[in-house]
Amino acid sequence: LQGPKRILLAQPRPRFAINPLGDLVPIRKIHRYTVTSSSDVVMLPRQRLIRLLDDCRVTSEELVLGADRIDVILSEDGGGVSEVRGSGRVSVHRPLEGTLLVGDQLRYAMAQGHLEVTGNPHATLVKGGTTGTMRRMRLHEKDRSVEFFRGLDQVQINLEQK
């Protein structure tokens, strides 16, 4: 598909709620993603791939992913998106938390619930008045912790809002 494009995707994701009896019950929430590109979009159905070129964005109510190029890998069962990969001037913005990650490469593994950004020479995390830099960072959705990686070294930090 040539020229600027906007694609809407739906991703069913399991969530849990507490019923009136105090039991934890699964609920199915549909996350909606808007995928945009100022240039071409290439769809490769056999590879389950949507490739976006130039000034790309993947937007949901929780986050905005941006990069020069983004690959959206669809799940094998056709139930949504399994992974998003980005390269070139990567940014991840979580407006509700006030978190911004920037770097050169990103990988968002939706099933595992973690998003990884790598930079050369480093990726940068900005949250509130705190800035962190490291070669590679992984943000975990479940507990909102961030892991910082440099070589074999690894540090995990929990970012809590006060």
Side-chain angles (χ1 to χ4, degrees), residues 6-160:
R6 180 176 173 203
I7 301 169
L8 301 176
L9 300 171
Q11 173 78 23
R13 302 201 43 200
R15 297 284 187 207
F16 296 91
I18 298 175
N19 68 13
L21 300 174
D23 300 323
L24 193 64
V25 294
I27 58 172
R28 206 162 167 96
K29 182 176 180 183
I30 304 292
H31 285 263
R32 301 192 189 293
Y33 295 90
T34 303
V35 179
T36 60
S37 170
S38 64
S39 186
D40 296 344
V41 174
V42 178
M43 300 181 82
L44 303 168
R46 287 191 179 144
Q47 288 91 349
R48 301 180 340 268
L49 177 72
I50 301 172
R51 177 163 288 155
L52 302 113
L53 305 170
D54 296 330
D55 191 27
C56 311
R57 298 272 178 270
V58 176
T59 306
S60 75
E61 61 188 36
E62 297 174 354
L63 68 102
V64 178
L65 305 175
D68 291 337
R69 181 177 121 181
I70 290 180
D71 288 344
V72 177
I73 296 99
L74 304 174
S75 61
E76 289 184 31
D77 63 5
V81 178
S82 68
E83 188 173 310
V84 176
R85 295 182 193 148
S87 60
R89 295 183 300 180
V90 166
S91 66
V92 178
H93 185 219
R94 292 182 160 284
L96 299 176
E97 297 175 5
T99 303
L100 175 67
L101 281 133
V102 293
D104 298 309
Q105 304 282 325
L106 81 82
R107 180 178 174 266
Y108 183 20
M110 292 186 171
Q112 291 82 17
H114 58 75
L115 191 148
E116 192 168 289
V117 175
T118 305
N120 188 14
H122 59 262
T124 302
L125 167 75
V126 179
K127 180 162 176 76
T130 304
T131 301
T133 59
M134 192 64 69
R135 173 86 171 103
R136 182 169 54 113
M137 297 180 193
R138 183 180 299 145
L139 176 65
H140 295 274
E141 288 184 328
K142 187 174 182 178
D143 63 3
R144 299 296 191 228
S145 66
V146 178
E147 289 180 278
F148 294 85
F149 299 89
R150 186 179 135 236
L152 298 175
D153 298 330
Q154 174 181 347
V155 176
Q156 185 166 349
I157 298 173
N158 292 322
L159 300 174
E160 297 179 14

